[in-house]
Amino acid sequence: RGENLTAHHRVPRAAFRARPAAVPAPRSRALEPRGVSRGPSRPSRGRVFPSASNLSRSPPSRTTMAHPAPSVEWEHFLATDVDRNGEVSAVELQNMLAAAGLVFSLQTVMKLITLHSPRDRGTLDFAEFQNVQGFLRNIQASFQYFDASRNGRLSKSEVLRALHHAGFGHVDEGAVKSACQAFDPDRTNGLSLDQYIAMTLFLLAAKRAFDAFAASSATPGRITLDFNQFVYAASKTR
């Protein structure tokens, strides 16, 4: 069930006039807990964005805590693991993200954990924590790239382009409009970074639930559900 959600594909060349090799992703402080030293910065080599088409590849699972060489990510893990039990709980992850300016409900944080942890324990070990960090950095880079107006929000058309680029080309404009309304409760006609991340997590969970039923469907791309199956599928998207 574990899935590598940090897989990459290159940015379309048509998006550029100068045709750089990849969209640079600035090393963001947004996902770093407060009180952790970053050390000297390194020049960015550019980052490409995650693809939702590579969801079948599982990230490595580590059920026991090793002692990795000191690194910035290891320091972040230790700073987030407040109770020092070797795993990051949903509440600990929620607090770390809130300190970084990403405010999520506990339900959304659990969805983030479920999509990155194949162990079904509701926690993250260090390897899974690294996968979550990479996933969030890539989404942040994608958000910044498609935010053409640089106002910190994605319009519906920008969301549609970002989702198509991430591998959700089968999601049509009507579906995107409905999703944007669901994750934009204040009706600003745009999604902030945390709202866009929450919507992306919803779509990834919905795709996983759909694919589970589509595997036994006689018609490719279509499924038929009774009410109990619908309730089960809907529960997997929450």
PDB file of all heavy atoms in Angstrom, residues 205-232:
ATOM      1  N   ALA A 205      -6.241  10.223  -2.619  1.00  0.00           N
ATOM      2  CA  ALA A 205      -7.015   9.201  -1.899  1.00  0.00           C
ATOM      3  C   ALA A 205      -8.188   8.722  -2.741  1.00  0.00           C
ATOM      4  O   ALA A 205      -8.517   7.524  -2.758  1.00  0.00           O
ATOM      5  CB  ALA A 205      -7.507   9.763  -0.565  1.00  0.00           C
ATOM      6  N   ALA A 206      -8.837   9.641  -3.458  1.00  0.00           N
ATOM      7  CA  ALA A 206      -9.957   9.262  -4.319  1.00  0.00           C
ATOM      8  C   ALA A 206      -9.483   8.349  -5.443  1.00  0.00           C
ATOM      9  O   ALA A 206     -10.163   7.376  -5.805  1.00  0.00           O
ATOM     10  CB  ALA A 206     -10.629  10.509  -4.888  1.00  0.00           C
ATOM     11  N   LYS A 207      -8.320   8.653  -6.013  1.00  0.00           N
ATOM     12  CA  LYS A 207      -7.779   7.810  -7.081  1.00  0.00           C
ATOM     13  C   LYS A 207      -7.467   6.413  -6.574  1.00  0.00           C
ATOM     14  O   LYS A 207      -7.717   5.416  -7.247  1.00  0.00           O
ATOM     15  CB  LYS A 207      -6.515   8.449  -7.671  1.00  0.00           C
ATOM     16  CG  LYS A 207      -5.964   7.689  -8.872  1.00  0.00           C
ATOM     17  CD  LYS A 207      -4.725   8.359  -9.425  1.00  0.00           C
ATOM     18  CE  LYS A 207      -4.284   7.687 -10.726  1.00  0.00           C
ATOM     19  NZ  LYS A 207      -4.029   6.248 -10.579  1.00  0.00           N
ATOM     20  N   ARG A 208      -6.909   6.338  -5.368  1.00  0.00           N
ATOM     21  CA  ARG A 208      -6.609   5.025  -4.793  1.00  0.00           C
ATOM     22  C   ARG A 208      -7.893   4.214  -4.593  1.00  0.00           C
ATOM     23  O   ARG A 208      -7.940   3.024  -4.919  1.00  0.00           O
ATOM     24  CB  ARG A 208      -5.889   5.191  -3.451  1.00  0.00           C
ATOM     25  CG  ARG A 208      -5.698   3.898  -2.700  1.00  0.00           C
ATOM     26  CD  ARG A 208      -5.169   4.107  -1.293  1.00  0.00           C
ATOM     27  NE  ARG A 208      -3.743   4.313  -1.280  1.00  0.00           N
ATOM     28  CZ  ARG A 208      -3.027   4.426  -0.149  1.00  0.00           C
ATOM     29  NH1 ARG A 208      -3.642   4.384   1.022  1.00  0.00           N
ATOM     30  NH2 ARG A 208      -1.734   4.588  -0.199  1.00  0.00           N
ATOM     31  N   ALA A 209      -8.939   4.859  -4.058  1.00  0.00           N
ATOM     32  CA  ALA A 209     -10.209   4.147  -3.840  1.00  0.00           C
ATOM     33  C   ALA A 209     -10.827   3.728  -5.173  1.00  0.00           C
ATOM     34  O   ALA A 209     -11.329   2.607  -5.305  1.00  0.00           O
ATOM     35  CB  ALA A 209     -11.178   5.039  -3.063  1.00  0.00           C
ATOM     36  N   PHE A 210     -10.801   4.621  -6.162  1.00  0.00           N
ATOM     37  CA  PHE A 210     -11.362   4.298  -7.476  1.00  0.00           C
ATOM     38  C   PHE A 210     -10.609   3.127  -8.106  1.00  0.00           C
ATOM     39  O   PHE A 210     -11.220   2.188  -8.641  1.00  0.00           O
ATOM     40  CB  PHE A 210     -11.294   5.520  -8.389  1.00  0.00           C
ATOM     41  CG  PHE A 210     -11.876   5.294  -9.759  1.00  0.00           C
ATOM     42  CD1 PHE A 210     -13.220   5.516 -10.005  1.00  0.00           C
ATOM     43  CD2 PHE A 210     -11.068   4.851 -10.799  1.00  0.00           C
ATOM     44  CE1 PHE A 210     -13.761   5.294 -11.265  1.00  0.00           C
ATOM     45  CE2 PHE A 210     -11.584   4.633 -12.062  1.00  0.00           C
ATOM     46  CZ  PHE A 210     -12.942   4.853 -12.299  1.00  0.00           C
ATOM     47  N   ASP A 211      -9.287   3.173  -8.068  1.00  0.00           N
ATOM     48  CA  ASP A 211      -8.477   2.121  -8.682  1.00  0.00           C
ATOM     49  C   ASP A 211      -8.734   0.762  -8.038  1.00  0.00           C
ATOM     50  O   ASP A 211      -8.651  -0.273  -8.708  1.00  0.00           O
ATOM     51  CB  ASP A 211      -6.996   2.474  -8.593  1.00  0.00           C
ATOM     52  CG  ASP A 211      -6.606   3.605  -9.524  1.00  0.00           C
ATOM     53  OD1 ASP A 211      -7.412   3.949 -10.413  1.00  0.00           O
ATOM     54  OD2 ASP A 211      -5.498   4.155  -9.354  1.00  0.00           O
ATOM     55  N   ALA A 212      -9.023   0.752  -6.729  1.00  0.00           N
ATOM     56  CA  ALA A 212      -9.291  -0.511  -6.045  1.00  0.00           C
ATOM     57  C   ALA A 212     -10.525  -1.199  -6.625  1.00  0.00           C
ATOM     58  O   ALA A 212     -10.557  -2.424  -6.772  1.00  0.00           O
ATOM     59  CB  ALA A 212      -9.470  -0.267  -4.550  1.00  0.00           C
ATOM     60  N   PHE A 213     -11.552  -0.414  -6.979  1.00  0.00           N
ATOM     61  CA  PHE A 213     -12.761  -0.986  -7.580  1.00  0.00           C
ATOM     62  C   PHE A 213     -12.583  -1.201  -9.085  1.00  0.00           C
ATOM     63  O   PHE A 213     -13.113  -2.155  -9.652  1.00  0.00           O
ATOM     64  CB  PHE A 213     -13.965  -0.076  -7.323  1.00  0.00           C
ATOM     65  CG  PHE A 213     -14.481  -0.136  -5.920  1.00  0.00           C
ATOM     66  CD1 PHE A 213     -14.146   0.856  -5.006  1.00  0.00           C
ATOM     67  CD2 PHE A 213     -15.297  -1.173  -5.492  1.00  0.00           C
ATOM     68  CE1 PHE A 213     -14.623   0.807  -3.703  1.00  0.00           C
ATOM     69  CE2 PHE A 213     -15.780  -1.227  -4.194  1.00  0.00           C
ATOM     70  CZ  PHE A 213     -15.437  -0.235  -3.291  1.00  0.00           C
ATOM     71  N   ALA A 214     -11.842  -0.311  -9.733  1.00  0.00           N
ATOM     72  CA  ALA A 214     -11.662  -0.411 -11.183  1.00  0.00           C
ATOM     73  C   ALA A 214     -10.878  -1.654 -11.584  1.00  0.00           C
ATOM     74  O   ALA A 214     -11.009  -2.147 -12.714  1.00  0.00           O
ATOM     75  CB  ALA A 214     -10.963   0.846 -11.713  1.00  0.00           C
ATOM     76  N   ALA A 215     -10.077  -2.180 -10.654  1.00  0.00           N
ATOM     77  CA  ALA A 215      -9.286  -3.369 -10.963  1.00  0.00           C
ATOM     78  C   ALA A 215     -10.158  -4.562 -11.333  1.00  0.00           C
ATOM     79  O   ALA A 215      -9.726  -5.447 -12.080  1.00  0.00           O
ATOM     80  CB  ALA A 215      -8.393  -3.720  -9.772  1.00  0.00           C
ATOM     81  N   SER A 216     -11.385  -4.599 -10.809  1.00  0.00           N
ATOM     82  CA  SER A 216     -12.289  -5.721 -11.096  1.00  0.00           C
ATOM     83  C   SER A 216     -13.457  -5.299 -11.990  1.00  0.00           C
ATOM     84  O   SER A 216     -14.422  -6.046 -12.141  1.00  0.00           O
ATOM     85  CB  SER A 216     -12.822  -6.312  -9.793  1.00  0.00           C
ATOM     86  OG  SER A 216     -13.506  -5.334  -9.032  1.00  0.00           O
ATOM     87  N   SER A 217     -13.359  -4.117 -12.576  1.00  0.00           N
ATOM     88  CA  SER A 217     -14.439  -3.616 -13.420  1.00  0.00           C
ATOM     89  C   SER A 217     -14.290  -4.139 -14.847  1.00  0.00           C
ATOM     90  O   SER A 217     -13.181  -4.231 -15.382  1.00  0.00           O
ATOM     91  CB  SER A 217     -14.444  -2.085 -13.433  1.00  0.00           C
ATOM     92  OG  SER A 217     -15.388  -1.586 -14.352  1.00  0.00           O
ATOM     93  N   ALA A 218     -15.417  -4.480 -15.466  1.00  0.00           N
ATOM     94  CA  ALA A 218     -15.398  -4.970 -16.848  1.00  0.00           C
ATOM     95  C   ALA A 218     -15.208  -3.831 -17.838  1.00  0.00           C
ATOM     96  O   ALA A 218     -14.789  -4.056 -18.979  1.00  0.00           O
ATOM     97  CB  ALA A 218     -16.695  -5.716 -17.158  1.00  0.00           C
ATOM     98  N   THR A 219     -15.516  -2.590 -17.415  1.00  0.00           N
ATOM     99  CA  THR A 219     -15.389  -1.425 -18.295  1.00  0.00           C
ATOM    100  C   THR A 219     -14.256  -0.542 -17.797  1.00  0.00           C
ATOM    101  O   THR A 219     -14.339   0.018 -16.710  1.00  0.00           O
ATOM    102  CB  THR A 219     -16.693  -0.606 -18.309  1.00  0.00           C
ATOM    103  OG1 THR A 219     -17.790  -1.457 -18.650  1.00  0.00           O
ATOM    104  CG2 THR A 219     -16.592   0.535 -19.309  1.00  0.00           C
ATOM    105  N   PRO A 220     -13.183  -0.429 -18.580  1.00  0.00           N
ATOM    106  CA  PRO A 220     -12.052   0.395 -18.141  1.00  0.00           C
ATOM    107  C   PRO A 220     -12.482   1.837 -17.864  1.00  0.00           C
ATOM    108  O   PRO A 220     -13.222   2.442 -18.634  1.00  0.00           O
ATOM    109  CB  PRO A 220     -11.096   0.346 -19.348  1.00  0.00           C
ATOM    110  CG  PRO A 220     -11.461  -0.905 -20.075  1.00  0.00           C
ATOM    111  CD  PRO A 220     -12.943  -1.065 -19.891  1.00  0.00           C
ATOM    112  N   GLY A 221     -12.034   2.367 -16.723  1.00  0.00           N
ATOM    113  CA  GLY A 221     -12.323   3.754 -16.385  1.00  0.00           C
ATOM    114  C   GLY A 221     -13.690   3.981 -15.788  1.00  0.00           C
ATOM    115  O   GLY A 221     -14.058   5.125 -15.505  1.00  0.00           O
ATOM    116  N   ARG A 222     -14.463   2.931 -15.581  1.00  0.00           N
ATOM    117  CA  ARG A 222     -15.793   3.069 -14.991  1.00  0.00           C
ATOM    118  C   ARG A 222     -16.005   1.993 -13.931  1.00  0.00           C
ATOM    119  O   ARG A 222     -15.537   0.868 -14.073  1.00  0.00           O
ATOM    120  CB  ARG A 222     -16.903   2.950 -16.047  1.00  0.00           C
ATOM    121  CG  ARG A 222     -16.937   4.109 -17.014  1.00  0.00           C
ATOM    122  CD  ARG A 222     -18.117   4.006 -17.980  1.00  0.00           C
ATOM    123  NE  ARG A 222     -18.185   5.152 -18.868  1.00  0.00           N
ATOM    124  CZ  ARG A 222     -18.775   6.294 -18.586  1.00  0.00           C
ATOM    125  NH1 ARG A 222     -19.376   6.432 -17.409  1.00  0.00           N
ATOM    126  NH2 ARG A 222     -18.790   7.301 -19.441  1.00  0.00           N
ATOM    127  N   ILE A 223     -16.726   2.379 -12.873  1.00  0.00           N
ATOM    128  CA  ILE A 223     -17.049   1.423 -11.825  1.00  0.00           C
ATOM    129  C   ILE A 223     -18.535   1.541 -11.480  1.00  0.00           C
ATOM    130  O   ILE A 223     -19.160   2.575 -11.703  1.00  0.00           O
ATOM    131  CB  ILE A 223     -16.204   1.656 -10.545  1.00  0.00           C
ATOM    132  CG1 ILE A 223     -16.442   3.061  -9.988  1.00  0.00           C
ATOM    133  CG2 ILE A 223     -14.733   1.417 -10.823  1.00  0.00           C
ATOM    134  CD1 ILE A 223     -15.723   3.312  -8.670  1.00  0.00           C
ATOM    135  N   THR A 224     -19.097   0.474 -10.963  1.00  0.00           N
ATOM    136  CA  THR A 224     -20.473   0.448 -10.481  1.00  0.00           C
ATOM    137  C   THR A 224     -20.451   0.055  -9.013  1.00  0.00           C
ATOM    138  O   THR A 224     -19.869  -0.973  -8.648  1.00  0.00           O
ATOM    139  CB  THR A 224     -21.326  -0.563 -11.279  1.00  0.00           C
ATOM    140  OG1 THR A 224     -21.279  -0.220 -12.663  1.00  0.00           O
ATOM    141  CG2 THR A 224     -22.759  -0.561 -10.787  1.00  0.00           C
ATOM    142  N   LEU A 225     -21.073   0.880  -8.174  1.00  0.00           N
ATOM    143  CA  LEU A 225     -21.052   0.652  -6.730  1.00  0.00           C
ATOM    144  C   LEU A 225     -22.453   0.559  -6.182  1.00  0.00           C
ATOM    145  O   LEU A 225     -23.348   1.302  -6.609  1.00  0.00           O
ATOM    146  CB  LEU A 225     -20.326   1.804  -6.016  1.00  0.00           C
ATOM    147  CG  LEU A 225     -18.900   2.160  -6.466  1.00  0.00           C
ATOM    148  CD1 LEU A 225     -18.396   3.354  -5.659  1.00  0.00           C
ATOM    149  CD2 LEU A 225     -17.972   0.982  -6.315  1.00  0.00           C
ATOM    150  N   ASP A 226     -22.649  -0.349  -5.222  1.00  0.00           N
ATOM    151  CA  ASP A 226     -23.880  -0.289  -4.445  1.00  0.00           C
ATOM    152  C   ASP A 226     -23.645   0.697  -3.299  1.00  0.00           C
ATOM    153  O   ASP A 226     -22.557   1.267  -3.160  1.00  0.00           O
ATOM    154  CB  ASP A 226     -24.302  -1.670  -3.949  1.00  0.00           C
ATOM    155  CG  ASP A 226     -23.280  -2.325  -3.021  1.00  0.00           C
ATOM    156  OD1 ASP A 226     -22.519  -1.607  -2.334  1.00  0.00           O
ATOM    157  OD2 ASP A 226     -23.235  -3.574  -2.970  1.00  0.00           O
ATOM    158  N   PHE A 227     -24.667   0.912  -2.469  1.00  0.00           N
ATOM    159  CA  PHE A 227     -24.543   1.955  -1.447  1.00  0.00           C
ATOM    160  C   PHE A 227     -23.434   1.638  -0.456  1.00  0.00           C
ATOM    161  O   PHE A 227     -22.662   2.539  -0.063  1.00  0.00           O
ATOM    162  CB  PHE A 227     -25.866   2.117  -0.701  1.00  0.00           C
ATOM    163  CG  PHE A 227     -25.827   3.207   0.349  1.00  0.00           C
ATOM    164  CD1 PHE A 227     -25.779   4.543  -0.014  1.00  0.00           C
ATOM    165  CD2 PHE A 227     -25.808   2.887   1.700  1.00  0.00           C
ATOM    166  CE1 PHE A 227     -25.718   5.546   0.937  1.00  0.00           C
ATOM    167  CE2 PHE A 227     -25.752   3.882   2.663  1.00  0.00           C
ATOM    168  CZ  PHE A 227     -25.714   5.223   2.280  1.00  0.00           C
ATOM    169  N   ASN A 228     -23.312   0.386  -0.036  1.00  0.00           N
ATOM    170  CA  ASN A 228     -22.279   0.016   0.929  1.00  0.00           C
ATOM    171  C   ASN A 228     -20.879   0.250   0.354  1.00  0.00           C
ATOM    172  O   ASN A 228     -19.981   0.739   1.051  1.00  0.00           O
ATOM    173  CB  ASN A 228     -22.436  -1.444   1.347  1.00  0.00           C
ATOM    174  CG  ASN A 228     -23.677  -1.675   2.183  1.00  0.00           C
ATOM    175  OD1 ASN A 228     -24.083  -0.831   2.973  1.00  0.00           O
ATOM    176  ND2 ASN A 228     -24.309  -2.823   2.007  1.00  0.00           N
ATOM    177  N   GLN A 229     -20.705  -0.104  -0.926  1.00  0.00           N
ATOM    178  CA  GLN A 229     -19.415   0.134  -1.564  1.00  0.00           C
ATOM    179  C   GLN A 229     -19.136   1.624  -1.700  1.00  0.00           C
ATOM    180  O   GLN A 229     -17.990   2.063  -1.541  1.00  0.00           O
ATOM    181  CB  GLN A 229     -19.396  -0.537  -2.942  1.00  0.00           C
ATOM    182  CG  GLN A 229     -19.390  -2.064  -2.882  1.00  0.00           C
ATOM    183  CD  GLN A 229     -19.592  -2.680  -4.253  1.00  0.00           C
ATOM    184  OE1 GLN A 229     -20.389  -2.192  -5.053  1.00  0.00           O
ATOM    185  NE2 GLN A 229     -18.854  -3.742  -4.539  1.00  0.00           N
ATOM    186  N   PHE A 230     -20.179   2.400  -1.972  1.00  0.00           N
ATOM    187  CA  PHE A 230     -20.000   3.851  -2.087  1.00  0.00           C
ATOM    188  C   PHE A 230     -19.556   4.444  -0.751  1.00  0.00           C
ATOM    189  O   PHE A 230     -18.664   5.288  -0.692  1.00  0.00           O
ATOM    190  CB  PHE A 230     -21.314   4.500  -2.541  1.00  0.00           C
ATOM    191  CG  PHE A 230     -21.271   6.002  -2.553  1.00  0.00           C
ATOM    192  CD1 PHE A 230     -20.611   6.691  -3.556  1.00  0.00           C
ATOM    193  CD2 PHE A 230     -21.855   6.737  -1.528  1.00  0.00           C
ATOM    194  CE1 PHE A 230     -20.558   8.081  -3.565  1.00  0.00           C
ATOM    195  CE2 PHE A 230     -21.804   8.118  -1.541  1.00  0.00           C
ATOM    196  CZ  PHE A 230     -21.156   8.791  -2.547  1.00  0.00           C
ATOM    197  N   VAL A 231     -20.194   3.993   0.342  1.00  0.00           N
ATOM    198  CA  VAL A 231     -19.823   4.485   1.669  1.00  0.00           C
ATOM    199  C   VAL A 231     -18.362   4.121   1.962  1.00  0.00           C
ATOM    200  O   VAL A 231     -17.577   4.935   2.486  1.00  0.00           O
ATOM    201  CB  VAL A 231     -20.760   3.919   2.747  1.00  0.00           C
ATOM    202  CG1 VAL A 231     -20.221   4.215   4.156  1.00  0.00           C
ATOM    203  CG2 VAL A 231     -22.155   4.481   2.585  1.00  0.00           C
ATOM    204  N   TYR A 232     -17.976   2.879   1.609  1.00  0.00           N
ATOM    205  CA  TYR A 232     -16.593   2.441   1.835  1.00  0.00           C
ATOM    206  C   TYR A 232     -15.628   3.314   1.041  1.00  0.00           C
ATOM    207  O   TYR A 232     -14.626   3.797   1.579  1.00  0.00           O
ATOM    208  CB  TYR A 232     -16.448   0.980   1.403  1.00  0.00           C
ATOM    209  CG  TYR A 232     -15.009   0.489   1.427  1.00  0.00           C
ATOM    210  CD1 TYR A 232     -14.417   0.065   2.604  1.00  0.00           C
ATOM    211  CD2 TYR A 232     -14.250   0.476   0.258  1.00  0.00           C
ATOM    212  CE1 TYR A 232     -13.104  -0.379   2.634  1.00  0.00           C
ATOM    213  CE2 TYR A 232     -12.937   0.050   0.272  1.00  0.00           C
ATOM    214  CZ  TYR A 232     -12.371  -0.386   1.459  1.00  0.00           C
ATOM    215  OH  TYR A 232     -11.056  -0.803   1.461  1.00  0.00           O
TER     216      TYR A 232
END
